[in-house]
Amino acid sequence: MKLIHCADLHIGKTFSSLPIGARDIMQRSLVDNFVSLMRFAHDNDVDVVMISGDFFDRAKVAVSYKKEVLGIVASFPHVSVVYLKGNHDANIEFEDELVVPSNLLIVSNDKDDDWTYFRYEEEGVTIAAIDLNSQFDASFFERLVLNKDDFNIVMLHGMMRAISETGHFERVVDINRLRGKNIDYLALGDIHIPDYEPRKLDNRGHYAYSGSLTGTGFDEIGERGFFLLEAEQSKLTRSFARMTKRQFRIIDVDITHCDTHSKIHSQIDFVLDKLRRNDFVNDLIRINLVGKYEATTIKDIENLVLKLNEEFFHAEVKDSSTLDISSINCHEMSLKSKFAALVLRDATLTKEEQDKILEFGIKALQREAL
């Protein structure tokens, strides 16, 4: 039996931090990547797609998105989609005018409901899932019952940490309470960084976060996709399928010894040559300027961003470089030198405070962004 483990598709995300043009394309890519996943499932005879939470970015996602997603699922009737709601789409509802296809199996979130089991008798596989949004204590762990002779997969959406002694419960996955439960694979959602290698649960099973299907920000750098699982005769094989057409990348560029804007631009070009050779121009990149710059250096960040966006899908520049205090000539007759001398003579300031004030002050005098 073949299954797909994915999560955190966040369909309907606005990407509000991006420019409008890039924003629209990224919103579309969330849906397009789901289509690609379903086509992969169809072409590779996958029986079940497991979505471990946050299928949608929020409960009040546009009806047009819901209609399109339901239509995508319906167009692959031989692939079952088990949908476990996450914290983002906990309260999502499908309007009466929308038709929920029979192959979309939604894990119930009614307060009185317990574990939902999907049993595949012929293959000897059981999928168990529970909506943590409707649970208010940790007793559900004890109510999980799985046949030791089955191949058992459990779906959960939540952060992985221990539950406090007070009994307070807030969508947490307590690994300790899932050990010894006859689980072969724990398919988790919520954390957007994929576990490329599954982690050991106990002597029998493993657990892993699938990560997001598409990166949604610069805190989610690297490849994104889903995991293909093959369960056969109590043996599990797992492989990563890359789906992301665009990645978020952060590239550090050391501008030490670059005393002009042209040299800074050339240094960025030098570092980016590798990306160009590997055809990463469709990615979203953030250049992070690091190292020390001289007091006379003028960094035209706006121009750097403009030039980079002529080549890459989206580019931005973050200035994390620091001022080289030794490059300030306090004996020179200039506003900068007088400012520096005033700061350095202030005995009430620590060395760290002097450095930070000088850095911000020089930037302000050079009309750079603080």
Side-chain angles (χ1 to χ4, degrees), residues 104-309:
L104 180 60
L105 311 175
I106 303 175
V107 178
S108 175
N109 65 348
D110 293 338
K111 292 182 180 180
D112 295 332
D113 284 346
D114 211 326
W115 289 89
T116 300
Y117 297 90
F118 302 95
R119 170 76 175 150
Y120 300 88
E121 196 73 38
E122 187 174 337
E123 295 84 358
V125 173
T126 296
I127 298 174
I130 192 167
D131 187 340
L132 298 189
N133 297 292
S134 63
Q135 302 300 314
F136 300 97
D137 61 63
S139 61
F140 71 90
F141 286 112
E142 283 64 47
R143 298 195 300 273
L144 174 62
V145 178
L146 297 167
N147 188 331
K148 66 180 178 63
D149 296 323
D150 285 349
F151 193 94
N152 299 310
I153 299 174
V154 173
M155 298 171 62
L156 289 173
H157 184 92
M159 299 294 286
M160 197 167 53
R161 60 180 182 271
I163 297 172
S164 66
E165 293 294 328
T166 60
H168 174 68
F169 181 74
E170 184 185 358
R171 287 190 301 271
V172 298
V173 177
D174 190 342
I175 291 297
N176 291 328
R177 299 194 187 199
L178 291 167
R179 293 191 169 104
K181 288 283 191 178
N182 298 321
I183 298 172
D184 292 282
Y185 184 74
L186 175 58
L188 297 172
D190 198 19
I191 293 178
H192 290 194
I193 309 300
D195 287 320
Y196 296 108
E197 293 295 331
R199 291 177 276 180
K200 189 172 182 180
L201 175 65
D202 53 25
N203 290 333
R204 172 167 175 162
H206 292 80
Y207 65 94
Y209 283 95
S210 68
S212 55
L213 191 60
T214 305
T216 59
F218 284 103
D219 56 342
E220 298 178 22
I221 61 175
E223 292 188 339
R224 291 292 180 272
F226 59 84
F227 289 100
L228 174 65
L229 312 175
E230 294 190 53
E232 187 177 2
Q233 297 179 346
S234 300
K235 181 182 177 181
L236 175 72
T237 58
R238 179 177 177 268
S239 57
F240 180 69
R242 182 182 184 273
M243 293 297 296
T244 328
K245 295 178 181 177
R246 305 181 195 277
Q247 289 189 44
F248 285 84
R249 299 179 183 274
I250 299 177
I251 302 105
D252 287 341
V253 176
D254 191 340
I255 62 170
T256 304
H257 308 306
C258 296
D259 56 358
T260 67
H261 173 76
S262 296
K263 289 182 179 179
I264 293 173
H265 191 274
S266 296
Q267 181 69 0
I268 293 174
D269 268 350
F270 174 78
V271 174
L272 289 180
D273 271 346
K274 182 179 179 181
L275 296 184
R276 292 189 182 96
R277 288 196 299 271
N278 287 281
D279 192 28
F280 292 157
V281 293
N282 290 322
D283 289 342
L284 301 93
I285 67 168
R286 174 184 287 168
I287 301 298
N288 185 34
L289 302 181
V290 297
K292 290 185 176 294
Y293 67 92
E294 297 183 6
T296 56
T297 304
I298 296 178
K299 303 188 293 291
D300 190 344
I301 303 298
E302 186 176 343
N303 179 264
L304 293 174
V305 172
L306 185 65
K307 291 294 185 183
L308 288 166
N309 275 292

Side-chain angles (χ1 to χ4, degrees), residues 16-155:
S16 57
S17 63
L18 297 178
I20 291 178
R23 186 186 310 171
D24 294 341
I25 293 173
M26 290 302 293
Q27 287 174 340
R28 185 69 244 165
S29 72
L30 296 175
V31 179
D32 291 343
N33 282 341
F34 178 57
V35 174
S36 297
L37 181 150
M38 292 300 292
R39 283 179 180 159
F40 178 97
H42 176 269
D43 295 343
N44 291 275
D45 298 319
V46 171
D47 302 283
V48 181
V49 171
M50 301 181 295
I51 303 176
S52 295
D54 289 349
F55 195 177
F56 298 91
D57 189 61
R58 56 194 183 281
K60 293 184 179 180
V61 70
V63 176
S64 59
Y65 279 120
K66 297 178 188 176
K67 182 178 180 180
E68 185 168 13
V69 166
L70 293 176
I72 293 166
V73 174
S75 63
F76 298 94
H78 300 299
V79 180
S80 295
V81 178
V82 178
Y83 168 28
L84 172 67
K85 296 178 183 178
N87 54 305
H88 278 259
D89 52 6
N91 299 313
I92 196 166
E93 295 180 355
F94 296 104
E95 287 76 3
D96 293 338
E97 67 267 24
L98 298 178
V99 179
V100 178
S102 59
N103 60 321
L104 180 60
L105 311 175
I106 303 175
V107 178
S108 175
N109 65 348
D110 293 338
K111 292 182 180 180
D112 295 332
D113 284 346
D114 211 326
W115 289 89
T116 300
Y117 297 90
F118 302 95
R119 170 76 175 150
Y120 300 88
E121 196 73 38
E122 187 174 337
E123 295 84 358
V125 173
T126 296
I127 298 174
I130 192 167
D131 187 340
L132 298 189
N133 297 292
S134 63
Q135 302 300 314
F136 300 97
D137 61 63
S139 61
F140 71 90
F141 286 112
E142 283 64 47
R143 298 195 300 273
L144 174 62
V145 178
L146 297 167
N147 188 331
K148 66 180 178 63
D149 296 323
D150 285 349
F151 193 94
N152 299 310
I153 299 174
V154 173
M155 298 171 62

Side-chain angles (χ1 to χ4, degrees), residues 324-370:
D324 182 359
I325 306 299
S326 65
S327 68
I328 302 173
N329 184 356
C330 295
H331 303 291
E332 184 184 58
M333 294 302 294
S334 68
L335 187 57
K336 280 189 293 186
S337 62
K338 290 180 179 179
F339 167 71
L342 183 65
V343 173
L344 294 173
R345 283 200 304 266
D346 192 337
T348 65
L349 297 173
T350 65
K351 177 66 166 57
E352 291 75 16
E353 289 171 336
Q354 286 178 340
D355 289 352
K356 188 59 66 177
I357 292 171
L358 285 171
E359 180 183 349
F360 286 168
I362 296 296
K363 279 188 175 183
L365 290 170
Q366 294 178 165
R367 297 183 178 180
E368 293 183 32
L370 299 179

